Amino acid sequence: MKSTSTYYRTVAALVTAGLVGGCAVGAADEGDGGGDKTVAYPTEGISVLAPGSPGGGWDTRARGMSQALTKCDVIDQKVTVTNKPGAGGTIGLAEFIEHKGDMHQLMVMDTVTMLGGIAVNKSPVDMKSLTPVAGLTSSPSVLVVPKKSPYDDLKSLLADLEKKPKSIKWTGGSVGGADHIQAALLGKSKGVSPDRINYVPTGGGGETVSQLLSGAATVGMATVTELRGQIEAGELKVLALAEKPEGQEIEGIDAPSLAELGLEEAAVSSVGGVLAPSGLSDAEQQAVVDTVRKMRDSNCWKDVLKRNDWTDAWTPGDEFGDLIGKQEDQVNDVLKELGLVK
């Protein structure tokens, strides 16, 4: 099996370069709508579901979409954002499934976290029946500790993890998500089995910050966006970046990547995107894709990318569905190897 980091870096590179192929998706992106007539969209307000906590990565993407769609006049209607956190996004997913055929309902997510949540929580629903709209972003993640932590570098923290695994309390996103996988792989790099990783899952970046600042956690993982405020305020120290986006500097973050520390195999990346409910025709899917594409091309969305340290990962229509399918197989393999699922 390919290494986790190699697989995700390859996927991210293909996504960014727009090289991941797919006949159905090519048709959707070119606007032929699968032969159906053009559909007017939107004809009413759009509701965007963020299946995570306020302040988390999914919430930030949903609110960034809302701002870009309305501020740059991509659409004339209102955009409403709602949060439904829990179980790696599967609580929100179960609710979203009920909106079959409603193209004015959208849900943000990211591939690894939601796929992990579905597997670990044995969710009775998954993403296969949903309508893929687009992959939008990839986000650099950081490993941080509270300002009073005795750890000033990742090497010293991992040395203690090797000696006393349970003494290091990790916190991050949901069980089975990218953060959990990354913690397990960092432990594995030091010969610590996954079941000895003391991991406290949260519903998003806001809860991760609370765990760290209260002293309930030793080390936390989240995107730069979710933690930037506390990092700039000096409340959190950055020990490492999971990965450094190629050719992109991350303002205000002076820390080595896992690859630079010789821990490349523990780096996990994910692609954040948006889905629509099942039951849409080809023309309806195309209409949603076209609207999100206009948003992605707007100056407002470019501002959102810059503000959140996101890298563009445009992957339209069924091409995004193909990507989810490929990553589902890989995530499940990794989770089984780590003992997180059977």
Side-chain angles (χ1 to χ4, degrees), residues 40 54 109 135 137 147 155 202 219 301 337:
M109 38 66 76
T137 64
K147 65 179 181 180
K155 181 180 178 180
T202 72
V219 55
W301 183 249
E337 181 183 357

Side-chain angles (χ1 to χ4, degrees), residues 154-177:
L154 187 59
K155 181 180 178 180
S156 58
L157 185 145
L158 293 181
D160 280 355
L161 175 70
E162 186 175 10
K163 297 173 185 175
K164 298 179 181 180
K166 293 295 184 179
S167 71
I168 305 298
K169 300 175 183 177
W170 301 79
T171 190
S174 57
V175 172

Side-chain angles (χ1 to χ4, degrees), residues 24 38 64 105 107 116 126 139 176 247 336 339:
T38 301
Q105 298 285 335
M107 181 181 73
D126 58 29
S139 308
K336 287 175 184 177

Side-chain angles (χ1 to χ4, degrees), residues 110-319:
D110 78 80
T111 53
V112 176
T113 300
M114 183 157 280
L115 288 168
I118 289 169
V120 171
N121 291 287
K122 298 181 175 63
S123 172
V125 295
D126 58 29
M127 293 185 282
K128 290 186 178 70
S129 65
L130 298 181
T131 302
V133 175
L136 289 172
T137 64
S138 59
S139 308
S141 295
V142 287
L143 287 88
V144 297
V145 294
K147 65 179 181 180
K148 295 182 180 179
S149 170
Y151 301 110
D152 292 319
D153 55 63
L154 187 59
K155 181 180 178 180
S156 58
L157 185 145
L158 293 181
D160 280 355
L161 175 70
E162 186 175 10
K163 297 173 185 175
K164 298 179 181 180
K166 293 295 184 179
S167 71
I168 305 298
K169 300 175 183 177
W170 301 79
T171 190
S174 57
V175 172
D179 295 336
H180 194 180
I181 290 174
Q182 187 166 274
L185 289 175
L186 284 168
K188 186 178 179 181
S189 74
K190 293 297 180 180
V192 178
S193 63
D195 61 355
R196 301 193 71 195
I197 294 295
N198 188 356
Y199 187 82
V200 179
T202 72
E207 293 181 33
T208 297
V209 169
S210 296
Q211 289 283 328
L212 289 165
L213 297 185
S214 69
T218 309
V219 55
M221 293 166 288
T223 64
V224 172
T225 305
E226 295 171 278
L227 301 179
R228 182 175 285 283
Q230 286 71 31
I231 292 170
E232 292 180 346
E235 296 296 323
L236 297 175
K237 298 187 291 186
V238 181
L239 301 186
L241 282 155
E243 290 187 306
K244 288 184 178 179
E246 187 174 353
Q248 179 181 332
E249 292 295 326
I250 302 176
E251 184 179 351
I253 306 297
D254 183 17
S257 68
L258 292 181
E260 290 170 338
L261 294 171
L263 295 165
E264 183 178 10
E265 297 303 308
V268 180
S269 299
S270 191
V271 176
V274 58
L275 303 171
S278 62
L280 303 190
S281 68
D282 289 348
E284 288 173 330
Q285 179 190 24
Q286 183 63 49
V288 181
V289 171
D290 286 346
T291 297
V292 174
R293 184 197 298 108
K294 290 176 184 176
M295 178 207 75
R296 177 250 186 176
D297 291 338
S298 71
N299 288 331
C300 294
W301 183 249
K302 291 173 184 176
D303 288 342
V304 170
L305 290 178
K306 183 177 180 180
R307 184 169 65 248
N308 292 289
D309 300 300
W310 290 341
T311 300
D312 179 67
W314 178 247
T315 320
D318 290 342
E319 187 175 332

Side-chain angles (χ1 to χ4, degrees), residues 229 291 332 342:
T291 297
N332 286 338
K342 294 181 179 181

Side-chain angles (χ1 to χ4, degrees), residues 6-86:
T6 300
Y7 177 83
Y8 290 118
R9 284 199 313 279
T10 301
V11 169
L14 291 172
V15 168
T16 303
L19 297 176
V20 182
C23 295
V25 177
D29 195 36
E30 291 164 9
D32 69 6
D36 290 348
K37 64 181 181 179
T38 301
V39 172
Y41 179 80
T43 57
E44 59 186 72
I46 294 175
S47 177
V48 182
L49 174 65
S53 300
W58 290 342
D59 178 69
T60 303
R61 188 179 305 112
R63 295 183 191 281
M65 286 182 61
S66 173
Q67 180 185 33
L69 285 166
T70 55
K71 186 177 179 181
C72 273
D73 299 322
V74 176
I75 64 173
D76 296 327
Q77 289 78 11
K78 293 182 178 180
V79 179
T80 302
V81 174
T82 57
N83 296 85
K84 198 75 174 181

